[in-house]
Amino acid sequence: MSEIGAPAIGHRGSPAKYLSIASLIFAAALVAFERGYRELEVQFFGLLIRAVSTQGVYVAGHRETVYFGLGGDSALGLRMTPECSSVFMLLPLLLVSAVLLWLGPRSVPRLLTSFAVGGLAIILVNQARLFGIAGLVDRFGTDEGYYWGHTLLGSLVSVIGGAIALVLFVRLATRRPRAERARP
């Protein structure tokens, strides 16, 4: 017999608690395997830039580098360093999701959807940042284009895009269900 308020023997945790723990494990895996994540991120950018580039593109995934503008005047290799990857922008969303799941949100599917939307927004923002760098290098040359693309445009896109992703995440995660909003 269990004490009042204590779980019964053999009681299992709620699915939200298991998902909370899974979120923390996923966060730890992202940190542990961030190099592999960066390789995937570079491969994805290589596919995207090949679709729009008229010049050569080469992806060296094992070096987390994409070379573009090959055969032109503004060839450049972009190496995805840990601080330029979207992996560390995803971690806060995962950690907040884990906390909210642990605390028992009203809707687990809504919280998981909010993480998926916020996470996808962060990944796409980082790809847009890379496109901005590539576009400015193509337009202004390697030295000036990279400087303005990485320093100014890249920072603006990351900050504004990250803020939008965070707002989307919080809005979707904390929004009351439609039925509750309709009640006076």
Side-chain angles (χ1 to χ4, degrees), residues 10 20-21 34 52 59 66 75 79 91 94 141 159 162 175 182:
S20 175
I21 294 166
E34 62 85 22
V52 298
V59 177
V66 63
R79 183 163 189 253
L91 290 177
L94 270 170
V159 169
R175 190 174 71 184

Side-chain angles (χ1 to χ4, degrees), residues 144-166:
E144 191 174 346
Y146 179 78
Y147 173 77
W148 288 108
H150 190 267
T151 305
L152 181 64
L153 181 67
S155 296
L156 283 173
V157 168
S158 291
V159 169
I160 293 169
I164 290 170
L166 181 61

Side-chain angles (χ1 to χ4, degrees), residues 89-104:
M89 293 175 67
L90 291 172
L91 290 177
L93 292 184
L94 270 170
L95 296 176
V96 170
S97 294
V99 168
L100 291 174
L101 284 163
W102 190 264
L103 295 175

Side-chain angles (χ1 to χ4, degrees), residues 103-119:
L103 295 175
R106 293 182 198 162
S107 173
V108 171
R110 186 172 356 117
L111 183 59
L112 295 176
T113 299
S114 70
F115 172 75
V117 169

